[in-house]
Amino acid sequence: MRRIPHLLSPSFLLLAFALPTPAFAQPADADAEVSAGDAQPEASQDRKNAEEPDTSTETTSTEVTRQRARAAAINVVGEAPDDLEAVPGSAEVITREELERQRPLNANEALQMVPGVAVQDEEGMGLRQNIGIRGLNPNRSRKVLMLQDGVPISLAPYGEPEMYYAPPIENMERIEVVKGSGSILFGPQTIGGVINYITPPTPDAFSMTADLSGGTYGFGSGRFSVGDTHEGFGYLVSGMHQRFTGPRNLNLVRSDFNLKLSGNPADNQALTFSLGIYDETSASTYLGLTTPQYETNPDFNFAENDEFTLRRYAAALTHAAFLGDSAILETRFYAHNIARNWRRQDFDRTDRGFDYERIIDGQGRDITGSANAPEDGSTIFFRDSSGNRNREFNVAGVEPRLTLAWSAGALTSELQTGVRFHYEQTDEERINGEHAASSSGVISTDQERLGYALAAYALNRFMLLDERLIVSPGARLESLWTNQIFYRRPVEQEGGGTAPTDLNPAPENPNHIMALLPGVGLSFEVARPLILFAGAHRGWAPPRTKDAVTTDGDSITLEAESSWNYELGARLRANTWLSAELAAFLLDFQNQVVAPNEAGGAVAEGVVNGGESTHVGAEASVSLDAGRALGLSFGIPVMANYTYVHSEFGEGWSGALLGQTLPYAPEHQVAARVGLVHPSGLTVQADANYVGAQYTDKVESEEPSTDGLRGVIDPRFILGAQVSYTFEPLNLTVYAVAKNLLDQTYIASRSPRGIQPGLPRHIFGGLRWTH
């Protein structure tokens, strides 16, 4: 857009990436060289496995700290089993092996297998992620902190934390999910938890992969990667191109390019640089189906003039310096630019007297010109005009973090502390097009939103009773300055009506909020296989800057969402083939903010400082390899989990809502999978997912409305299957995948603006070659 770049814009901060990195003094044990190309943590040697515990204390604090540095540079949990066991709360890691066996079409499919996670699909490809944790509203994943390699990836993490960009699952090494007090080190969202997408590290030796696949509904995908490490310098280059017509004419075309570099400028330093470019064009639409249209044909899509484009450029630089024998200073710079333009044809649900371009009735028939068009909510009246919602987001930040191992007598401890300065700037225009397919026209609304955030945090792990008891108190301080400026908006005219008008002076709404977010976690090793954990922390999410001013320019004083989150559970890792986890939780909200944007739900009633709500429930999961347990020559991986959540409105809302269930919060969810991994190279797996009934508005409407905006969503059971064979002499894998194998017809969502059907049966297959 048009505005002059700010001094702290991403383009300015990216210049710092080219500046020399200051040298640090070489530690006393510099002969233990660290490779930045090895971005994954090594398994701790003090606990080799559950069957042969090792109580050796020979590992030095430097080695422990360096191992943690490799993980902390990009991880929330870590990769080694001990990393997960040390998390003082419920956590899950979806490994590369699990992703390869499942071959999910998108990240939503992988995450819906995680206990406590609910996914609200929108177009079948997971392009706009709607993820809720433990009964929280999944709308655009606002209440979940979304990261990629430890860097926030939502549009504007403080002011507009929507997930319009979803990292392609094909590029991920693994996914980490943290739902308890372990999220206190990350922010700004600390309510629902953290989801961290991890990309592959630079390889230790030359490697190359190529993957080609195709399937039903015009699906085609190609991906390549090549990487190597030579004399301490590592690189990894990958690219992907994908097309998908889809059952509802999604017409998706997207490409993704990534570059990762790593090196060691000195024995006591490590550098990692990453660059990502993402491009997407599709016919995504907010407009869903009315109830009669869905019952006639769920594959209908009448918003034929809608078009969505997204361009994303992102870069990150992480520098790790090893200071002395027991300290690491990591500094991360990050920046992204996202341009998100969405052309949507204007429409009405009743005849308002316009010269309509099309009128589509409940049976999907074009009845333009009919004198008796139904006005019962079953019909869509398309105007010959468009509304273009164009937005550009510039985000940048720097975050130094110190990890310090220290001891006092018999007490060993580890401190993680840091600060982060974060900047974000948004340009938003609403452009009214004169025709249904116009991408230009009259600028109706023009505004700019600014945000400056300073966060400081500290968490100390006290290791007691020979490290069997770990107590982790911590706190996070968030300070946020925001401003919203209206340059142009509709203004009432003397003769009546409104007209877009440049404003001079431009009204502003500056604001500052600050919050101290304490938390404490505890884990206790009752016996080597069994660990108990508990945690309590302050949940917090800043109000969206966009909602602080009405479209009429009136200021609204919004408070941050706040809650107290509690968790109690147990984690079992009896041996190398069995693990289980059980957790009970309570999210006690003191305030929720309800946003009236179109993606906020079809029946949003306005922005309010809401009231109280409670989310109480339990999660249980078990994972085992029956083949290893029985001593067989092949693996039989089995997983099952169950989630129960009861979410209800409390005091502070209207009396009619007291005790009502929150929207899009299914009480029951079950996920399971079973597979076969044979040494011959054959792999077979089946996945099942059950989601219970869920309300879609605040008043528990049972019966479906004719317009499709209200009504309960019935339970659904979705089955998937995958088979692959790897011919090792050629390093060639052939695979076939079926999604929604039983071809169930179901409603995935009734928002943003009508029924969004779930993806019907979809089959694809392909070839993967590695070197």
Side-chain angles (χ1 to χ4, degrees):
M1 292 187 180
R2 308 177 312 283
R3 276 179 261 295
I4 298 173
H6 289 260
L7 179 63
L8 295 174
S9 66
S11 58
F12 177 84
L13 281 183
L14 283 172
L15 295 176
F17 290 175
L19 299 179
T21 304
F24 288 83
Q26 181 171 314
D29 61 341
D31 56 325
E33 183 176 348
V34 176
S35 172
D38 180 12
Q40 307 303 321
E42 299 175 357
S44 299
Q45 296 300 308
D46 58 337
R47 299 186 179 185
K48 296 179 181 178
N49 55 56
E51 295 176 339
E52 298 179 5
D54 185 356
T55 58
S56 171
T57 59
E58 296 178 359
T59 303
T60 67
S61 60
T62 302
E63 291 167 341
V64 172
T65 307
R66 289 187 175 187
Q67 288 172 2
R68 288 193 177 276
R70 297 190 186 104
I74 58 174
N75 297 334
V76 177
V77 176
E79 184 181 32
D82 287 347
D83 292 325
L84 184 60
E85 291 176 6
V87 175
S90 179
E92 184 90 7
V93 176
I94 305 173
T95 65
R96 181 206 293 222
E97 291 75 16
E98 291 172 322
L99 292 174
E100 289 181 348
R101 289 199 299 264
Q102 185 187 12
R103 295 193 185 275
L105 195 60
N106 51 67
N108 285 351
E109 289 186 14
L111 289 167
Q112 70 184 4
M113 305 299 289
V114 176
V117 176
V119 176
Q120 175 188 320
D121 205 2
E122 195 166 310
E123 76 301 295
M125 288 294 289
L127 303 176
R128 255 51 73 197
Q129 285 196 298
N130 301 293
I131 298 171
I133 292 181
R134 293 176 171 177
L136 295 172
N137 194 320
N139 177 34
R140 293 291 184 264
S141 307
R142 285 197 187 102
K143 292 179 170 58
V144 181
L145 179 62
M146 307 295 290
L147 308 174
Q148 180 173 314
D149 291 339
V151 173
I153 56 174
S154 58
L155 296 179
Y158 282 84
E160 198 166 344
E162 276 81 357
M163 282 296 290
Y164 282 89
Y165 159 75
I169 191 63
E170 294 86 352
N171 296 336
M172 295 303 117
E173 176 82 0
R174 66 185 189 278
I175 307 174
E176 303 171 334
V177 182
V178 174
K179 294 164 283 185
S181 60
S183 62
I184 200 70
L185 289 174
F186 305 89
Q189 314 289 331
T190 62
I191 291 178
V194 182
I195 294 177
N196 188 26
Y197 295 97
I198 303 295
T199 60
T202 55
D204 293 331
F206 180 78
S207 68
M208 182 183 298
T209 64
D211 196 323
L212 294 174
S213 61
T216 56
Y217 300 115
F219 177 74
S221 179
R223 184 182 182 275
F224 81 94
S225 68
V226 59
D228 195 6
T229 294
H230 181 67
E231 295 183 353
F233 171 78
Y235 72 91
L236 178 64
V237 180
S238 66
M240 184 194 76
H241 182 73
Q242 197 171 77
R243 292 175 177 266
F244 182 62
T245 302
R248 304 185 64 223
N249 296 320
L250 178 64
N251 296 326
L252 168 67
V253 179
R254 64 173 177 172
S255 301
D256 189 53
F257 172 82
N258 291 278
L259 169 68
K260 182 174 285 189
L261 304 174
S262 62
N264 300 101
D267 288 344
N268 65 327
Q269 297 183 40
L271 279 174
T272 301
F273 172 78
S274 62
L275 173 69
I277 302 174
Y278 178 87
D279 181 277
E280 174 194 332
T281 300
S282 70
S284 294
T285 177
Y286 269 16
L287 178 61
L289 301 176
T290 67
T291 297
Q293 290 170 351
Y294 171 76
E295 292 174 346
T296 301
N297 185 352
D299 292 343
F300 279 151
N301 181 6
F302 303 111
E304 58 189 35
N305 292 303
D306 289 11
E307 182 181 70
F308 178 91
T309 60
L310 187 143
R311 310 287 185 270
R312 180 179 186 267
Y313 304 92
L317 174 69
T318 299
H319 174 265
F322 303 88
L323 311 175
D325 294 335
S326 57
I328 300 171
L329 177 64
E330 299 166 286
T331 304
R332 180 184 293 116
F333 302 88
Y334 61 88
H336 74 235
N337 168 270
I338 297 177
R340 193 230 75 168
N341 295 344
W342 205 334
R343 183 184 71 212
R344 304 207 294 270
Q345 185 173 358
D346 298 325
F347 69 91
D348 298 312
R349 296 190 180 274
T350 60
D351 189 344
R352 299 181 59 186
F354 290 91
D355 185 12
Y356 289 105
E357 183 257 343
R358 281 175 300 134
I359 302 175
I360 306 297
D361 71 2
Q363 284 67 52
R365 299 172 300 195
D366 189 336
I367 58 171
T368 308
S370 171
N372 299 307
E375 296 192 49
D376 58 356
S378 65
T379 303
I380 304 295
F381 299 77
F382 287 97
R383 303 184 195 178
D384 191 16
S385 60
S386 65
N388 295 272
R389 288 81 165 172
N390 298 345
R391 305 175 193 173
E392 184 173 2
F393 302 85
N394 294 298
V395 170
V398 57
E399 179 178 2
R401 174 180 295 194
L402 176 68
T403 303
L404 174 67
W406 62 277
S407 61
L411 175 67
T412 59
S413 181
E414 180 187 83
L415 171 67
Q416 283 187 289
T417 184
V419 296
R420 180 180 69 191
F421 175 75
H422 176 94
Y423 163 84
E424 56 191 39
Q425 182 260 347
T426 302
D427 288 325
E428 177 170 342
E429 292 179 341
R430 164 67 186 255
I431 301 175
N432 295 330
E434 294 185 1
H435 304 289
S438 296
S439 295
S440 62
V442 177
I443 299 176
S444 172
T445 301
D446 184 4
Q447 61 173 289
E448 180 181 19
R449 298 188 290 274
L450 298 170
Y452 300 86
L454 181 63
Y457 55 85
L459 186 143
N460 199 93
R461 296 181 177 91
F462 295 97
M463 288 158 272
L464 310 168
L465 304 179
D466 294 329
E467 300 189 11
R468 292 176 57 199
L469 174 63
I470 302 177
V471 182
S472 306
R476 184 178 189 88
L477 178 66
E478 289 278 3
S479 187
L480 173 64
W481 294 263
T482 64
N483 195 12
Q484 186 176 17
I485 309 169
F486 269 90
Y487 297 101
R488 183 178 176 87
R489 70 165 183 261
V491 174
E492 293 185 2
Q493 304 298 298
E494 291 184 3
T498 61
T501 305
D502 290 336
L503 306 178
N504 186 21
E508 300 186 27
N509 187 39
N511 190 29
H512 174 248
I513 57 175
M514 181 179 292
L516 178 63
L517 313 173
V520 62
L522 181 148
S523 64
F524 178 62
E525 184 182 291
V526 179
R528 179 64 190 104
L530 179 63
I531 294 176
L532 303 181
F533 59 84
H537 75 277
R538 185 66 162 166
W540 185 80
R544 297 169 74 238
T545 309
K546 180 177 180 178
D547 298 328
V549 176
T550 69
T551 55
D552 295 327
D554 298 325
S555 300
I556 303 175
T557 302
L558 292 178
E559 299 175 3
E561 291 187 279
S562 59
S563 66
W564 283 105
N565 297 1
Y566 307 94
E567 186 178 48
L568 177 65
R571 184 179 295 116
L572 175 70
R573 187 178 294 275
N575 41 51
T576 57
W577 49 263
L578 172 64
S579 62
E581 185 174 291
L582 175 66
F585 57 85
L586 169 64
L587 280 62
D588 185 10
F589 273 88
Q590 289 73 57
N591 180 57
Q592 284 197 350
V593 174
V594 180
N597 64 318
E598 292 176 286
V603 293
E605 298 172 351
V607 176
V608 296
N609 288 311
E612 301 174 358
S613 69
T614 57
H615 305 243
V616 61
E619 304 163 355
S621 64
V622 60
S623 179
L624 64 91
D625 190 326
R628 296 184 65 181
L630 298 173
L632 303 178
S633 61
F634 53 88
I636 307 177
V638 179
M639 181 280 290
N641 66 59
Y642 168 72
T643 302
Y644 169 78
V645 183
H646 179 70
S647 306
E648 66 178 39
F649 291 101
E651 299 291 339
W653 302 87
S654 67
L657 296 180
L658 186 63
Q660 301 278 52
T661 302
L662 271 71
Y664 293 101
E667 283 198 341
H668 304 280
Q669 289 192 105
V670 180
R673 64 171 176 253
V674 60
L676 170 69
V677 182
H678 197 273
S680 65
L682 177 67
T683 299
V684 180
Q685 181 164 295
D687 303 282
N689 185 263
Y690 170 84
V691 179
Q694 49 192 307
Y695 296 106
T696 58
D697 60 11
K698 294 189 280 292
V699 294
E700 296 187 358
S701 297
E702 293 275 357
E703 296 299 320
S705 60
T706 304
D707 59 15
L709 301 180
R710 294 173 174 83
V712 72
I713 293 180
D714 293 330
R716 63 176 181 263
F717 174 79
I718 306 299
L719 182 66
Q722 181 264 343
V723 59
S724 66
Y725 178 75
T726 300
F727 185 61
E728 291 189 1
L730 296 179
N731 294 321
L732 184 67
T733 299
V734 57
Y735 58 87
V737 183
K739 304 298 181 183
N740 192 1
L741 186 62
L742 303 179
D743 199 19
Q744 297 290 315
T745 299
Y746 66 96
I747 297 175
S749 170
R750 293 184 181 273
S751 69
R753 307 187 72 176
I755 295 174
Q756 304 288 345
L759 183 70
R761 180 166 52 217
H762 175 49
I763 299 174
F764 64 94
L767 295 171
R768 176 182 172 88
W769 174 79
T770 61
H771 173 73

PDB file of all heavy atoms in Angstrom, residues 212-230:
ATOM      1  N   LEU A 212       6.030 -36.352  -6.012  1.00  0.00           N
ATOM      2  CA  LEU A 212       4.994 -35.996  -6.969  1.00  0.00           C
ATOM      3  C   LEU A 212       3.737 -36.787  -6.646  1.00  0.00           C
ATOM      4  O   LEU A 212       3.810 -38.000  -6.413  1.00  0.00           O
ATOM      5  CB  LEU A 212       5.436 -36.304  -8.405  1.00  0.00           C
ATOM      6  CG  LEU A 212       6.611 -35.494  -8.961  1.00  0.00           C
ATOM      7  CD1 LEU A 212       7.007 -36.022 -10.337  1.00  0.00           C
ATOM      8  CD2 LEU A 212       6.255 -34.017  -9.049  1.00  0.00           C
ATOM      9  N   SER A 213       2.591 -36.107  -6.625  1.00  0.00           N
ATOM     10  CA  SER A 213       1.340 -36.792  -6.313  1.00  0.00           C
ATOM     11  C   SER A 213       0.196 -36.159  -7.078  1.00  0.00           C
ATOM     12  O   SER A 213       0.275 -35.008  -7.516  1.00  0.00           O
ATOM     13  CB  SER A 213       1.054 -36.747  -4.803  1.00  0.00           C
ATOM     14  OG  SER A 213       0.934 -35.410  -4.351  1.00  0.00           O
ATOM     15  N   GLY A 214      -0.878 -36.930  -7.241  1.00  0.00           N
ATOM     16  CA  GLY A 214      -2.068 -36.447  -7.911  1.00  0.00           C
ATOM     17  C   GLY A 214      -3.268 -37.245  -7.455  1.00  0.00           C
ATOM     18  O   GLY A 214      -3.128 -38.362  -6.926  1.00  0.00           O
ATOM     19  N   GLY A 215      -4.461 -36.652  -7.612  1.00  0.00           N
ATOM     20  CA  GLY A 215      -5.641 -37.362  -7.148  1.00  0.00           C
ATOM     21  C   GLY A 215      -6.930 -36.749  -7.638  1.00  0.00           C
ATOM     22  O   GLY A 215      -6.949 -35.973  -8.616  1.00  0.00           O
ATOM     23  N   THR A 216      -7.998 -37.074  -6.957  1.00  0.00           N
ATOM     24  CA  THR A 216      -9.329 -36.627  -7.351  1.00  0.00           C
ATOM     25  C   THR A 216      -9.475 -35.122  -7.163  1.00  0.00           C
ATOM     26  O   THR A 216      -8.690 -34.476  -6.473  1.00  0.00           O
ATOM     27  CB  THR A 216     -10.392 -37.359  -6.527  1.00  0.00           C
ATOM     28  OG1 THR A 216     -10.135 -37.148  -5.128  1.00  0.00           O
ATOM     29  CG2 THR A 216     -10.367 -38.857  -6.805  1.00  0.00           C
ATOM     30  N   TYR A 217     -10.500 -34.575  -7.783  1.00  0.00           N
ATOM     31  CA  TYR A 217     -10.822 -33.149  -7.729  1.00  0.00           C
ATOM     32  C   TYR A 217      -9.669 -32.278  -8.216  1.00  0.00           C
ATOM     33  O   TYR A 217      -9.427 -31.189  -7.707  1.00  0.00           O
ATOM     34  CB  TYR A 217     -11.219 -32.737  -6.314  1.00  0.00           C
ATOM     35  CG  TYR A 217     -12.425 -33.466  -5.789  1.00  0.00           C
ATOM     36  CD1 TYR A 217     -12.322 -34.320  -4.695  1.00  0.00           C
ATOM     37  CD2 TYR A 217     -13.677 -33.326  -6.387  1.00  0.00           C
ATOM     38  CE1 TYR A 217     -13.434 -35.007  -4.216  1.00  0.00           C
ATOM     39  CE2 TYR A 217     -14.780 -34.015  -5.915  1.00  0.00           C
ATOM     40  CZ  TYR A 217     -14.649 -34.852  -4.833  1.00  0.00           C
ATOM     41  OH  TYR A 217     -15.751 -35.523  -4.363  1.00  0.00           O
ATOM     42  N   GLY A 218      -8.932 -32.788  -9.205  1.00  0.00           N
ATOM     43  CA  GLY A 218      -7.875 -31.998  -9.812  1.00  0.00           C
ATOM     44  C   GLY A 218      -6.689 -31.741  -8.903  1.00  0.00           C
ATOM     45  O   GLY A 218      -5.982 -30.743  -9.074  1.00  0.00           O
ATOM     46  N   PHE A 219      -6.447 -32.640  -7.956  1.00  0.00           N
ATOM     47  CA  PHE A 219      -5.341 -32.437  -7.018  1.00  0.00           C
ATOM     48  C   PHE A 219      -4.016 -32.806  -7.671  1.00  0.00           C
ATOM     49  O   PHE A 219      -3.871 -33.882  -8.277  1.00  0.00           O
ATOM     50  CB  PHE A 219      -5.533 -33.298  -5.774  1.00  0.00           C
ATOM     51  CG  PHE A 219      -4.392 -33.208  -4.787  1.00  0.00           C
ATOM     52  CD1 PHE A 219      -4.228 -32.086  -4.001  1.00  0.00           C
ATOM     53  CD2 PHE A 219      -3.474 -34.240  -4.662  1.00  0.00           C
ATOM     54  CE1 PHE A 219      -3.189 -31.996  -3.094  1.00  0.00           C
ATOM     55  CE2 PHE A 219      -2.429 -34.164  -3.761  1.00  0.00           C
ATOM     56  CZ  PHE A 219      -2.284 -33.038  -2.975  1.00  0.00           C
ATOM     57  N   GLY A 220      -3.051 -31.936  -7.568  1.00  0.00           N
ATOM     58  CA  GLY A 220      -1.704 -32.192  -8.032  1.00  0.00           C
ATOM     59  C   GLY A 220      -0.705 -31.465  -7.165  1.00  0.00           C
ATOM     60  O   GLY A 220      -0.921 -30.309  -6.794  1.00  0.00           O
ATOM     61  N   SER A 221       0.384 -32.136  -6.819  1.00  0.00           N
ATOM     62  CA  SER A 221       1.366 -31.542  -5.911  1.00  0.00           C
ATOM     63  C   SER A 221       2.756 -32.028  -6.283  1.00  0.00           C
ATOM     64  O   SER A 221       2.961 -33.209  -6.605  1.00  0.00           O
ATOM     65  CB  SER A 221       1.056 -31.931  -4.457  1.00  0.00           C
ATOM     66  OG  SER A 221       2.009 -31.372  -3.563  1.00  0.00           O
ATOM     67  N   GLY A 222       3.695 -31.100  -6.273  1.00  0.00           N
ATOM     68  CA  GLY A 222       5.091 -31.436  -6.490  1.00  0.00           C
ATOM     69  C   GLY A 222       5.971 -30.711  -5.500  1.00  0.00           C
ATOM     70  O   GLY A 222       5.769 -29.520  -5.231  1.00  0.00           O
ATOM     71  N   ARG A 223       6.932 -31.434  -4.927  1.00  0.00           N
ATOM     72  CA  ARG A 223       7.830 -30.829  -3.949  1.00  0.00           C
ATOM     73  C   ARG A 223       9.236 -31.391  -4.131  1.00  0.00           C
ATOM     74  O   ARG A 223       9.407 -32.582  -4.424  1.00  0.00           O
ATOM     75  CB  ARG A 223       7.358 -31.097  -2.518  1.00  0.00           C
ATOM     76  CG  ARG A 223       8.205 -30.416  -1.454  1.00  0.00           C
ATOM     77  CD  ARG A 223       7.749 -30.726  -0.041  1.00  0.00           C
ATOM     78  NE  ARG A 223       8.555 -30.014   0.936  1.00  0.00           N
ATOM     79  CZ  ARG A 223       9.718 -30.447   1.416  1.00  0.00           C
ATOM     80  NH1 ARG A 223      10.200 -31.616   1.009  1.00  0.00           N
ATOM     81  NH2 ARG A 223      10.396 -29.734   2.285  1.00  0.00           N
ATOM     82  N   PHE A 224      10.237 -30.534  -3.970  1.00  0.00           N
ATOM     83  CA  PHE A 224      11.629 -30.969  -4.017  1.00  0.00           C
ATOM     84  C   PHE A 224      12.388 -30.315  -2.872  1.00  0.00           C
ATOM     85  O   PHE A 224      11.970 -29.284  -2.329  1.00  0.00           O
ATOM     86  CB  PHE A 224      12.283 -30.574  -5.350  1.00  0.00           C
ATOM     87  CG  PHE A 224      12.744 -29.133  -5.370  1.00  0.00           C
ATOM     88  CD1 PHE A 224      14.048 -28.798  -5.032  1.00  0.00           C
ATOM     89  CD2 PHE A 224      11.861 -28.117  -5.703  1.00  0.00           C
ATOM     90  CE1 PHE A 224      14.462 -27.477  -5.032  1.00  0.00           C
ATOM     91  CE2 PHE A 224      12.269 -26.799  -5.718  1.00  0.00           C
ATOM     92  CZ  PHE A 224      13.575 -26.476  -5.380  1.00  0.00           C
ATOM     93  N   SER A 225      13.496 -30.921  -2.503  1.00  0.00           N
ATOM     94  CA  SER A 225      14.401 -30.304  -1.531  1.00  0.00           C
ATOM     95  C   SER A 225      15.805 -30.820  -1.794  1.00  0.00           C
ATOM     96  O   SER A 225      15.994 -31.941  -2.264  1.00  0.00           O
ATOM     97  CB  SER A 225      13.989 -30.608  -0.091  1.00  0.00           C
ATOM     98  OG  SER A 225      14.158 -31.980   0.212  1.00  0.00           O
ATOM     99  N   VAL A 226      16.786 -29.990  -1.513  1.00  0.00           N
ATOM    100  CA  VAL A 226      18.180 -30.380  -1.641  1.00  0.00           C
ATOM    101  C   VAL A 226      18.958 -29.654  -0.550  1.00  0.00           C
ATOM    102  O   VAL A 226      18.682 -28.490  -0.237  1.00  0.00           O
ATOM    103  CB  VAL A 226      18.733 -30.039  -3.047  1.00  0.00           C
ATOM    104  CG1 VAL A 226      18.628 -28.546  -3.339  1.00  0.00           C
ATOM    105  CG2 VAL A 226      20.171 -30.516  -3.204  1.00  0.00           C
ATOM    106  N   GLY A 227      19.908 -30.363   0.055  1.00  0.00           N
ATOM    107  CA  GLY A 227      20.682 -29.750   1.125  1.00  0.00           C
ATOM    108  C   GLY A 227      21.968 -30.494   1.391  1.00  0.00           C
ATOM    109  O   GLY A 227      22.161 -31.645   0.957  1.00  0.00           O
ATOM    110  N   ASP A 228      22.865 -29.843   2.125  1.00  0.00           N
ATOM    111  CA  ASP A 228      24.160 -30.439   2.437  1.00  0.00           C
ATOM    112  C   ASP A 228      24.827 -29.595   3.510  1.00  0.00           C
ATOM    113  O   ASP A 228      24.398 -28.460   3.793  1.00  0.00           O
ATOM    114  CB  ASP A 228      25.036 -30.489   1.182  1.00  0.00           C
ATOM    115  CG  ASP A 228      26.246 -31.405   1.340  1.00  0.00           C
ATOM    116  OD1 ASP A 228      26.346 -32.085   2.386  1.00  0.00           O
ATOM    117  OD2 ASP A 228      27.090 -31.439   0.414  1.00  0.00           O
ATOM    118  N   THR A 229      25.867 -30.139   4.113  1.00  0.00           N
ATOM    119  CA  THR A 229      26.735 -29.390   5.027  1.00  0.00           C
ATOM    120  C   THR A 229      28.176 -29.642   4.604  1.00  0.00           C
ATOM    121  O   THR A 229      28.591 -30.791   4.422  1.00  0.00           O
ATOM    122  CB  THR A 229      26.537 -29.829   6.482  1.00  0.00           C
ATOM    123  OG1 THR A 229      25.213 -29.470   6.899  1.00  0.00           O
ATOM    124  CG2 THR A 229      27.534 -29.141   7.401  1.00  0.00           C
ATOM    125  N   HIS A 230      28.918 -28.561   4.433  1.00  0.00           N
ATOM    126  CA  HIS A 230      30.299 -28.674   3.982  1.00  0.00           C
ATOM    127  C   HIS A 230      31.154 -27.693   4.759  1.00  0.00           C
ATOM    128  O   HIS A 230      30.886 -26.484   4.768  1.00  0.00           O
ATOM    129  CB  HIS A 230      30.395 -28.386   2.479  1.00  0.00           C
ATOM    130  CG  HIS A 230      31.779 -28.505   1.924  1.00  0.00           C
ATOM    131  ND1 HIS A 230      32.458 -29.715   1.860  1.00  0.00           N
ATOM    132  CD2 HIS A 230      32.624 -27.564   1.425  1.00  0.00           C
ATOM    133  CE1 HIS A 230      33.648 -29.516   1.331  1.00  0.00           C
ATOM    134  NE2 HIS A 230      33.779 -28.216   1.067  1.00  0.00           N
TER     135      HIS A 230
END
